[in-house]
Structures are given as structure tokens and as C-alpha cells.
């Protein structure tokens, strides 16, 4: 969810329109995503139930239903750009495939992930790791081929400022990074770990390892996103635009 077409689209526009002025937004959005994801993982580890199961049990029915509807709307809103972006990418690679067919292919791809998850969470994690690894290699190679001044990607961190025309891009970056369904997913994925919940030290250890896992994954996603920003900042940024 931190490296989907919506994130890459936001990175493309951030680099092309603002160069490195909004890197601090990308960083702190990733940090906030880590905080929320760690809280969701902790909930799953301690209770043995996912975030959705806990909400259904602890809240009144009308509240849980309202939360469900809000989350569905948020998921649809954040996934529309993923489907359309994937369809555009398929059309660029294979011009004979129209956009509507690309949307259908993207939908079938979702069922592919569900089928892999049916085999077990470890298989899904291995598949995702392989795909993210391929993305990291490709984007880091691209980053190495552009001329990024030393320290330029960190220039905006010292004085995080934002001009008026950057506001829309900043909002898009936050929305692309923090996605609600990822929190529900992670609170469910940690349930595949066998934790002796009657032993507090085992629970604390599981929470600590989940935190390390999330931090490592999100740090890698940040650098991949930063690579896309840097490449487009070097190739397409124009101060007069």
C-alpha cells in the first residue's frame, strides 16, 4: 500500500512540480503511517483479533456499521487511482490493450493476490517482497543515472515550508501514503504469528518484532518513493512552470 500506483503518481508529480520542497511531507506521512500501523499490529498481537473484529465487538452496532461504510468509501476513493493508473501503465507497455481492458486485468490481479493469500500469509509476504525488491532495484538504478546534487533531497527538511501551489500536491502525498485498508490488513496479518498470549514477555517480544518489521518495510518504501521523486525532479522540474 505504500508503493502502489497512487504513491508513484504522487511521487511523479511531487518531483516534477515541487522538486524536493515536499520531501518532508513524504517523510512525516510515512512516519505517521508507521505509528498507525504499529498500533494496529499491537492490537492484533495483544487481543488475537483484527481491527475490524475488535470494532465490531466493542462498538455499538450503528457505530461499527458507520465505521464500515466510511472505510469502504475511503478504500474506493484511494483505489480508483490505483486501478486507472495500472490500466494506463498496461496501455503504455502494450498499446493494443485499451484502458477498459487494463482495468479488468487489474481486477483479476487482485484476485491473484487473494488466491496466493489463500495458500498462506507467508506465500503472500514472499510474493510482495519479491515485487518490492524488483521495484527497489529498478528505481534505484534510475536514481543513480540522474544528477541529484548532494543533500538536495534533504534541503526541505531544515525549514519545512510550502508555497500555495504546493498544497494540493501535499494533500495528494498524504492521501497516497496513509491508506485505511492497510491498517486493517496489518492487524490481520500479525494473527498468522503464533504468540503465547498468556505469557506477557512473549507478547512484548511479538510487539517489538512487529514494530521492527513495520519500520524496516516503511523505511524501504520511503527510499523507493524518494528515488521516484528525485528522478522526476531532475528530469521534469522547471522553475518557470
Amino acid at each position: 500500500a505504500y508503493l502502489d500506483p497512487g504513491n508513484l503518481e504522487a511521487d511523479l508529480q511531487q518531483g516534477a512540480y515541487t522538486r524536493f520542497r515536499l520531501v518532508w511531507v513524504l517523510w512525516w506521512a510515512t512516519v505517521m503511517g508507521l505509528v498507525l500501523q504499529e498500533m494496529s499490529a499491537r492490537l492484533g498481537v495483544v487481543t488475537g483479533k483484527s481491527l475490524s473484529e475488535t470494532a465490531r465487538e466493542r462498538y455499538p452496532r450503528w457505530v461499527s456499521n458507520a465505521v464500515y461504510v466510511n472505510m469502504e468509501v475511503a478504500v474506493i476513493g484511494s483505489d480508483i487511482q490505483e486501478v486507472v493508473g495500472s490500466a494506463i501503465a498496461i496501455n503504455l507497455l502494450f498499446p493494443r490493450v485499451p484502458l477498459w481492458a487494463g482495468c479488468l486485468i487489474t481486477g483479476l490481479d487482485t484476485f491473484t493476490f487473494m488466491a496466493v493469500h489463500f495458500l498462506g500469509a507467508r506465500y503472500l509476504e514472499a510474493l510482495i517482497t519479491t515485487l518490492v525488491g524488483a521495484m527497489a532495484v529498478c528505481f534505484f538504478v534510475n536514481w543513480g543515472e540522474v544528477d541529484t546534487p548532494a543533500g538536495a533531497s534533504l534541503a526541505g527538511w531544515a525549514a519545512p515550508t510550502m508555497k500555495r501551489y504546493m498544497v494540493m500536491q501535499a494533500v495528494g502525498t498524504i492521501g497516497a501514503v496513509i491508506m485505511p485498508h492497510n491498517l486493517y490488513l496489518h492487524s490481520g496479518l500479525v494473527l498468522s504469528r503464533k504468540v503465547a498470549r498468556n505469557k506477557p514477555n512473549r507478547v512484548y517480544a511479538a510487539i517489538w518484532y512487529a514494530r521492527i518489521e513495520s519500520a524496516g518495510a516503511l523505511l524501504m518504501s520511503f527510499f523507493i518513493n524518494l528515488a521516484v521523486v528525485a528522478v522526476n525532479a531532475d528530469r521534469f522540474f522547471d522553475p518557470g512552470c
Side-chain angles (χ1 to χ4, degrees):
Y2 295 89
L3 292 171
D4 55 26
N7 286 91
L8 302 183
E9 179 185 359
D11 298 335
L12 294 171
Q13 296 187 38
Q14 182 181 139
Y17 286 119
T18 68
R19 203 163 184 254
F20 298 109
R21 294 289 297 274
L22 292 183
V23 171
W24 65 274
V25 176
L26 176 62
W27 167 252
W28 287 113
T30 304
V31 171
M32 180 56 65
L34 172 61
V35 172
L36 295 174
Q37 187 165 302
E38 197 274 338
M39 292 172 63
S40 300
R42 183 181 300 190
L43 176 69
V45 170
V46 173
T47 65
K49 298 177 182 179
S50 66
L51 179 59
S52 57
E53 291 174 324
T54 304
R56 183 178 179 85
E57 288 185 0
R58 297 300 181 92
Y59 293 145
R61 179 57 61 88
W62 69 271
V63 175
S64 62
N65 289 339
V67 171
Y68 168 73
V69 172
N70 287 331
M71 289 301 101
E72 286 289 354
V73 172
V75 169
I76 294 172
S78 61
D79 275 349
I80 288 177
Q81 58 183 341
E82 327 296 354
V83 176
V84 176
S86 298
I88 293 174
I90 294 173
N91 179 260
L92 291 174
L93 292 173
F94 309 100
R96 294 186 178 182
V97 179
L99 293 180
W100 64 266
C103 291
L104 293 179
I105 294 174
T106 305
L108 293 176
D109 178 60
T110 301
F111 285 102
T112 302
F113 280 97
M114 293 175 64
V116 174
H117 186 263
F118 180 77
L119 298 176
R122 289 291 186 269
Y123 291 94
L124 179 62
E125 291 173 348
L127 176 61
I128 296 298
T129 302
T130 301
L131 296 176
V132 172
M135 293 176 65
V137 172
C138 295
F139 292 149
F140 287 162
V141 169
N142 286 340
W143 194 2
E145 294 179 351
V146 301
D147 184 18
T148 303
S153 59
L154 303 178
W157 292 23
T161 58
M162 185 186 309
K163 294 185 178 181
R164 180 174 299 179
Y165 73 91
M166 300 179 182
V167 173
M168 186 67 71
Q169 188 56 52
V171 173
T173 299
I174 296 173
V177 173
I178 301 178
M179 309 180 75
H181 50 285
N182 194 54
L183 305 180
Y184 286 86
L185 171 65
H186 202 70
S187 67
L189 283 178
V190 294
L191 300 182
S192 63
R193 277 68 166 158
K194 295 182 179 180
V195 181
R197 293 183 175 85
N198 58 336
K199 300 179 180 179
N201 59 326
R202 297 292 182 86
V203 175
Y204 294 145
I207 292 174
W208 177 251
Y209 285 121
R211 184 183 299 122
I212 294 175
E213 181 184 37
S214 297
L218 267 68
L219 184 63
M220 175 59 68
S221 73
F222 169 75
F223 282 117
I224 295 177
N225 285 316
L226 181 60
V228 179
V229 172
V231 171
N232 285 272
D234 179 79
R235 298 291 175 85
F236 300 111
F237 176 75
D238 181 5
C241 178

